[in-house]
């Protein structure tokens, strides 16, 4: 479970089994019923995944929320055999382990050294991108234009957009390309990937309402508010 791995990010992100079971049972009660077992299970998986996401997201610092979303998304796709460990490692590490001095000389002046290491490693590590270097050489103008775009994550990938769109992991492959060429746009590309894979509701900001938090609490599940200087939830608490 991704929830179990969250303490590796911050030791405060602890979730007990009792808390998880409470979310599970509440989802069982609130989810639409269906007499067809297969459909009922699909509904429960969908609703439980989102309900756990909402509850966990409430307790995370803003800086860690994208990491949690990305972990959840990649874990689901890995369990569905769409992604594998090699693909996820490429996202995390890129070409950082490569020695620039051992690589072929960077052939393009418009591409920085880090991007060249990432691209070279990508072409060597995934069969899908085996022809990436030759595509860059043969279509340099198109790739240079895309590389210099203000928001390349919103643009079609030169020469291979159609091939990417037809691949089961196409949205992740596009994220790998953005991370390799323009790592400054990785965050926005990651949000696009999550929205495409899980749905827009996992990307849109969640509105925190005290009434919802109160409904998910109970006599054995206290609510702890961590306040920043100047924050005063007093009015919201009185409205309950």
């Amino acid at each position: 479970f991704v929830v179990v791995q969250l303490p590796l990010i911050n030791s405060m992100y602890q979730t007990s089994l009792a808390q998880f079971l409470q979310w599970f049972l509440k989802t069982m009660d609130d989810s639409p019923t269906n007499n067809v077992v297969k459909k009922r299970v699909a509904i429960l998986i969908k609703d439980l995944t989102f309900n756990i996401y909402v509850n966990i997201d409430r307790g995370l610092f803003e800086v860690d929320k994208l990491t949690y979303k990305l972990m959840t998304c990649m874990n689901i796709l890995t369990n569905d055999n769409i992604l594998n460990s090699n693909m996820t490692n490429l996202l995390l590490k890129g070409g950082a382990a490569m020695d620039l001095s051992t690589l072929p000389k960077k052939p393009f002046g418009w591409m920085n050294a880090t991007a060249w290491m990432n691209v070279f490693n990508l072409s060597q590590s995934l069969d899908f991108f085996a022809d990436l270097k030759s595509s860059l050489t043969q279509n340099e103008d198109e790739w240079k234009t895309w590389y210099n775009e203000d928001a390349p994550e919103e643009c079609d990938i030169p020469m291979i957009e159609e091939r990417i769109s037809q691949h089961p992991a196409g949205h992740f492959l596009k994220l790998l390309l953005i991370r390799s060429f323009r790592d400054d746009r990785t965050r926005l590309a990651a949000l696009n990937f999550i929205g495409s894979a899980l749905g827009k509701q996992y990307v849109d900001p969640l509105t925190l309402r005290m009434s919802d938090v109160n409904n998910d609490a109970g006599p054995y599940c206290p609510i702890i508010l961590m306040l920043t200087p100047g924050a005063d939830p007093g009015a919201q608490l009185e409205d309950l």
Side-chain angles (χ1 to χ4, degrees), residues 66-233:
L66 178 58
T67 302
Y68 168 57
K69 295 178 185 182
L70 199 55
M71 288 171 64
T72 299
C73 188
M74 291 194 298
N75 210 28
I76 290 173
L77 296 183
T78 300
N79 288 334
D80 289 342
N81 295 317
I82 295 175
L83 302 184
N84 56 50
S85 58
N86 182 40
M87 298 167 79
T88 55
N89 283 334
L90 281 171
L91 178 65
L92 297 174
K93 301 176 182 178
M98 307 201 78
D99 184 354
L100 185 60
S101 63
T102 64
L103 301 184
K105 183 179 179 181
K106 181 168 65 74
F108 313 111
W110 47 269
M111 182 187 294
N112 63 47
T114 299
W116 172 239
M117 287 193 294
N118 291 338
V119 169
F120 188 89
N121 187 52
L122 190 61
S123 67
Q124 298 293 309
S125 302
L126 278 185
D127 291 340
F128 184 89
F129 292 117
D131 61 346
L132 182 57
K133 290 184 294 182
S134 61
S135 178
L136 279 165
T137 302
Q138 297 168 12
N139 308 280
E140 182 180 355
D141 290 342
E142 290 86 347
W143 281 100
K144 180 180 178 181
T145 299
W146 176 79
Y147 178 85
N148 289 321
E149 289 283 354
D150 291 335
E153 72 280 359
E154 302 296 341
C155 302
D156 289 347
I157 305 296
M159 318 317 298
I160 59 173
E161 177 65 31
E162 183 177 356
R163 185 153 58 101
I164 284 181
S165 64
Q166 294 174 353
H167 194 282
H171 297 295
F172 186 79
L173 295 175
K174 186 168 185 176
L175 173 59
L176 285 180
L177 278 174
I178 298 294
R179 187 254 186 272
S180 298
F181 281 89
R182 289 282 303 276
D183 58 0
D184 60 307
R185 306 297 296 181
T186 301
R187 180 180 180 85
L188 294 172
L191 289 173
N192 287 346
F193 160 63
I194 294 165
S196 299
L198 298 183
K200 193 169 179 289
Q201 68 270 28
Y202 286 87
V203 176
D204 292 338
L206 294 174
T207 302
L208 179 62
R209 293 176 296 201
M210 289 303 302
S211 57
D212 293 337
V213 177
N214 186 58
N215 290 337
D216 290 334
Y220 303 106
C221 181
I223 300 172
I224 300 175
L225 302 179
M226 295 184 64
L227 305 180
T228 56
D232 182 10

